[in-house]
Amino acid sequence: MVILFLILYPWPLAPQDEVHPITGTFCECRGERDHFHNGIDIPLAQGGGVLSVSTDVVLDLYPSGANSWIRVGRFAYVHVVPNPDLEVGDTVHVGDLVGVTNWLNHIHFKDGGGASGTKVVNPLLTGRLSPVIDNVAPTIAEVRFYLQGTNTIFPADRLTGYIDIVIRAYDGMDYGGWNNGVYKVGYQILAVDTVTPVTPYFESYWFDTLPNNVYINNVYAPGSNTSTYYYYVTNHIDKDTFWNTAAVTPGDYVVGLYVADVFGNQDTLYKQITVVPADTIAPHNPYIVDAHIEGGELYLRWRMDDYSDVLGYRLYHSFDGIHWECHHNETELSVFDTIFTFEPFPGELTIYFYVTAVDSSAFVNESDPSPWVGMRYDTPAFTIWSDVVAAGYPGVVKFTEGIELGFSTTCELDTCTDVIVYLKNNEVVQLDTLTQGLLYGFVHNGGKLVFSGSNVLQYVDSSWLDTMFGCKYLSDTIIPMVELYGEAEFTGIGFTLPATNWCGDTLNLCMLEPTSGEPILRYSTGDVAAVKKANTMVFGFPIEEVDPIDTLRSRIFEVLGLVGISTGETNTELSRYIIVRDCIVLSIECDGYLPSVVIYDVLGQKLPISLQRQADKLRISFRGIPPGVYFLHSPHYKVKVLLIR
């Protein structure tokens, strides 16, 4: 049995019978949760006299280093250079000089332990250090709720399962020291009235005597150090425990948190919480059903198939399709908020969106993302739908002008996946990472892709060009009236390119170097003009400048295994109306009959459209049809055409 002798003793510095500041209390955290502070800290400038608080024998001393010290009976004086006139065995009286403070400028005063053989106790307990005056209450500055045994914080005050409750608290004293540790910690679960108890009071711990340092992590949570104190209020000193929310029925409660100092000053914090049932199942994902520009604003609308487990939504955006940010979440997008508008963003940017749904569980479950949608503000009719791409229509890429597409006529309309894409007008187009990825995925899954135009090849990523087409871009040049001839699968093909393109600008020609691809066309200079690799072909000149294009187009289709649309079956005017705004106007023969035209959506469903004949023109109205991707089929024109609205 340990007997704690209650004996008053004075302060270890002059004047010994007056109160002094205390800047460190008993059992504070030290280091990064390394050990308990085994005494109290009393400020005293270097060289200040340290006086004995008892009459006893010098039991031990250590004269050098930061932790120099001397022990007289039960009491140790640390960070103190011992009085050189003292040796072990000398008798010291109350008030005698035992040493002076070193450069750490304080006395670490310890009651018990070491050579004394007594238990280390809190010097501030009643009946020990005197006089002490403290009317300052401790403060609970913060409370956190963790999933028991982890560093996972509940994101809102909605709790379930086993809970570690952690508070940040500190104490002060009348005469100085405003960031000390507290003496006692406890908690209780109450009704929302903060009065009616729901669980018994849990007294976590109090610091009368020094615990074993192996228990430091039962008291102090991560983030604690020598000057910051996070306390586990759900633990005992020698036991790691928790609050089991299953002990109460789901609903609203208050957690009452209590701290106190040795002198009875205390603080109470009431924190309202909600106990919810365990839930690890995420809601179904939403679907964006409309995205367009209206009244100068970008307008998004989405839907949910099942609202039963939805608290709200998170709206993500990206400018490259890779790095996504969420600036609008369930705090402003509740379960029935399925429409959102944006102010205009810079017109040269393409912005992508997707939406997720979240539930009201303690740890929010977030659904899979909706299929994304991409839009440009300066091209209101331009919208990319990722679910369309996934469904096998990868021609839906971010080229907003001058795309020509040829569909295999052997495929059904709603299952057509073989698409040839090439850029018209030799426009400068910079492919972003998302577009490159879409095209790569298209080819990787069996699609056939034809790429052309020197202005395009200059601005694509070199590694992507190598991976997709098996070649490198070398340079571009101007060669008036250049001749080209074919080899390999293009043997027998020959034609001449004009010195200028269709709009009168100089025609640039790109030189290629095959890597894993094979050359299929060369310029008359011998430089490689086109390369084929598996299902892809790349041309260093704009294909549309070849006149007539029939032979080249037929060979492209033949080599790639496509059934093409012959020149006679293609209405040139029609193929230029791929980007749709309000209507398409087509030329018709004056035979008295209204041509048959059907518009399908990506699921193969027919859309109600308005056909109006105006003299020798056919006007197809798209008013009332939301932005998206559609297909036009007309036996009269003998074509199938992709429309992007």
Side-chain angles (χ1 to χ4, degrees):
M1 181 175 67
V2 178
I3 300 175
L4 301 180
F5 296 95
L6 300 181
I7 179 173
L8 294 174
Y9 44 81
W11 290 77
L13 71 168
Q16 287 190 280
D17 58 352
E18 293 184 8
V19 181
H20 296 269
I22 294 176
T23 56
T25 51
F26 190 65
C27 284
E28 289 177 347
C29 180
R30 285 295 180 263
E32 301 297 325
R33 299 194 297 166
D34 179 65
H35 63 279
F36 292 102
H37 192 225
N38 62 12
I40 61 173
D41 290 338
I42 305 169
L44 182 61
Q46 182 177 0
V50 180
L51 310 178
S52 177
V53 301
S54 65
T55 298
D56 217 320
V57 175
V58 176
L59 298 181
D60 207 351
L61 54 82
Y62 187 75
S64 61
N67 291 323
S68 56
W69 50 270
I70 183 170
R71 174 176 289 280
V72 178
R74 288 182 17 231
F75 304 101
Y77 310 85
V78 187
H79 311 312
V80 172
V81 179
N83 184 341
D85 294 333
L86 294 177
E87 296 180 353
V88 173
D90 289 349
T91 298
V92 174
H93 299 278
V94 174
D96 286 352
L97 181 71
V98 296
V100 295
T101 49
N102 64 22
W103 64 89
L104 293 180
N105 298 306
H106 73 273
I107 308 166
H108 174 80
F109 180 69
K110 180 180 176 183
D111 185 343
S116 74
T118 61
K119 195 172 187 67
V120 180
V121 298
N122 189 341
L124 296 181
L125 291 174
T126 302
R128 296 187 180 277
L129 183 67
S130 180
V132 180
I133 299 174
D134 182 6
N135 296 299
V136 179
T139 298
I140 301 175
E142 182 183 356
V143 57
R144 299 177 181 176
F145 301 99
Y146 290 83
L147 186 64
Q148 193 266 335
T150 74
N151 291 328
T152 304
I153 300 177
F154 283 85
D157 300 323
R158 303 173 64 83
L159 312 179
T160 191
Y162 297 161
I163 309 296
D164 284 336
I165 304 175
V166 174
I167 60 170
R168 181 170 68 88
Y170 56 88
D171 192 17
M173 302 190 74
D174 295 67
Y175 286 81
W178 305 105
N179 191 33
N180 297 332
V182 301
Y183 166 67
K184 184 181 292 187
V185 175
Y187 81 99
Q188 187 171 24
I189 307 302
L190 306 168
V192 292
D193 61 8
T194 71
V195 175
T196 307
V198 175
T199 66
Y201 177 71
F202 184 91
E203 191 161 60
S204 311
Y205 34 78
W206 58 96
F207 299 120
D208 286 346
T209 59
L210 183 68
N212 191 308
N213 286 327
V214 300
Y215 299 132
I216 186 75
N217 290 337
N218 287 347
V219 174
Y220 292 101
S224 300
N225 52 47
T226 301
S227 59
T228 305
Y229 315 114
Y230 287 98
Y231 297 93
Y232 282 115
V233 302
T234 40
N235 290 348
H236 290 305
I237 286 181
D238 59 351
K239 186 176 182 181
D240 181 7
T241 183
F242 50 83
W243 173 45
N244 184 3
T245 60
V248 301
T249 58
D252 295 330
Y253 299 92
V254 166
V255 180
L257 301 152
Y258 310 96
V259 294
D261 62 22
V262 173
F263 308 99
N265 303 302
Q266 59 183 343
D267 187 29
T268 302
L269 175 66
Y270 295 111
K271 182 67 173 179
Q272 185 164 341
I273 54 124
T274 301
V275 174
V276 298
D279 179 5
T280 59
I281 300 175
H284 294 290
N285 62 278
Y287 289 88
I288 297 177
V289 296
D290 193 6
H292 67 276
I293 305 296
E294 180 179 304
E297 293 182 320
L298 191 157
Y299 174 92
L300 291 175
R301 182 169 62 89
W302 58 90
R303 66 173 172 81
M304 285 292 300
D305 291 333
D306 183 0
Y307 292 92
S308 60
D309 189 31
V310 178
L311 175 67
Y313 306 97
R314 295 177 181 176
L315 178 60
Y316 293 82
H317 76 273
S318 170
F319 293 104
D320 59 9
I322 298 174
H323 306 92
W324 296 87
E325 297 182 17
C326 178
H327 294 306
H328 307 281
N329 58 31
E330 60 273 20
T331 61
E332 56 184 311
L333 297 174
S334 65
V335 60
F336 297 114
D337 292 324
T338 58
I339 298 176
F340 199 83
T341 57
F342 285 84
E343 294 295 327
F345 52 89
E348 68 274 10
L349 297 175
T350 300
I351 187 169
Y352 305 91
F353 300 95
Y354 70 77
V355 183
T356 62
V358 297
D359 62 17
S360 58
S361 62
F363 288 105
V364 171
N365 297 300
E366 186 171 8
S367 74
D368 291 333
S370 70
W372 53 256
V373 60
M375 299 188 72
R376 285 180 72 95
Y377 181 76
D378 62 357
T379 311
F382 166 53
T383 306
I384 311 171
W385 297 84
S386 63
D387 50 356
V388 175
V389 175
Y393 302 100
V396 189
V397 292
K398 121 179 203 187
F399 311 132
T400 62
E401 295 294 341
I403 305 174
E404 183 168 317
L405 301 149
F407 291 91
S408 169
T409 57
T410 61
C411 296
E412 293 297 325
L413 182 66
D414 59 351
T415 60
C416 176
T417 59
D418 290 330
V419 180
I420 288 185
V421 179
Y422 71 87
L423 295 180
K424 304 277 289 183
N425 306 338
N426 200 27
E427 293 187 357
V428 175
V429 176
Q430 298 186 27
L431 302 183
D432 61 22
T433 304
L434 177 62
T435 303
Q436 293 180 27
L438 289 175
L439 291 175
Y440 175 80
F442 164 51
V443 171
H444 182 73
N445 291 319
K448 284 88 171 178
L449 175 64
V450 177
F451 221 58
S452 84
S454 59
N455 280 344
V456 179
L457 301 180
Q458 294 180 59
Y459 296 101
V460 297
D461 181 77
S462 59
S463 62
W464 181 81
L465 190 64
D466 184 23
T467 301
M468 288 288 291
F469 302 107
C471 69
K472 295 180 180 178
Y473 165 79
L474 293 181
S475 63
D476 69 288
T477 187
I478 301 172
I479 307 176
M481 300 297 292
V482 65
E483 294 183 356
L484 289 92
Y485 59 90
E487 59 183 70
E489 293 176 282
F490 276 62
T491 299
I493 297 289
F495 52 89
T496 300
L497 289 176
T500 57
N501 63 22
W502 66 276
C503 61
D505 291 336
T506 302
L507 188 65
N508 288 10
L509 304 177
C510 174
M511 311 301 176
L512 302 174
E513 178 184 336
T515 51
S516 57
E518 63 173 338
I520 54 176
L521 285 175
R522 290 183 186 270
Y523 301 113
S524 55
T525 59
D527 295 297
V528 175
V531 175
K532 174 184 178 293
K533 177 184 177 182
N535 292 338
T536 68
M537 295 180 189
V538 59
F539 294 83
F541 57 90
I543 295 178
E544 69 271 14
E545 299 300 334
V546 178
D547 188 21
I549 197 174
D550 300 10
T551 302
L552 178 60
R553 183 191 309 209
S554 296
R555 185 64 62 89
I556 292 172
F557 277 40
E558 176 187 340
V559 171
L560 291 180
L562 298 172
V563 180
I565 303 170
S566 69
T567 304
E569 295 176 320
T570 303
N571 181 295
T572 303
E573 188 172 7
L574 176 63
S575 67
R576 291 185 181 274
Y577 286 93
I578 293 174
I579 303 301
V580 181
R581 287 176 172 79
D582 291 333
C583 68
I584 291 178
V585 179
L586 308 175
S587 296
I588 60 175
E589 299 175 5
C590 298
D591 55 8
Y593 295 96
L594 195 64
S596 173
V597 177
V598 180
I599 307 295
Y600 297 85
D601 64 15
V602 294
L603 300 178
Q605 300 171 328
K606 295 181 181 180
L607 271 67
I609 57 173
S610 173
L611 300 179
Q612 294 180 342
R613 180 167 184 167
Q614 298 174 344
D616 60 344
K617 302 291 184 181
L618 176 66
R619 186 178 188 276
I620 307 173
S621 174
F622 278 77
R623 291 188 180 275
I625 296 178
V629 178
Y630 304 96
F631 297 90
L632 181 150
H633 184 214
S634 174
H636 176 86
Y637 294 106
K638 299 180 181 179
V639 292
K640 298 175 181 178
V641 176
L642 180 68
L643 307 175
I644 304 175
R645 173 166 165 73

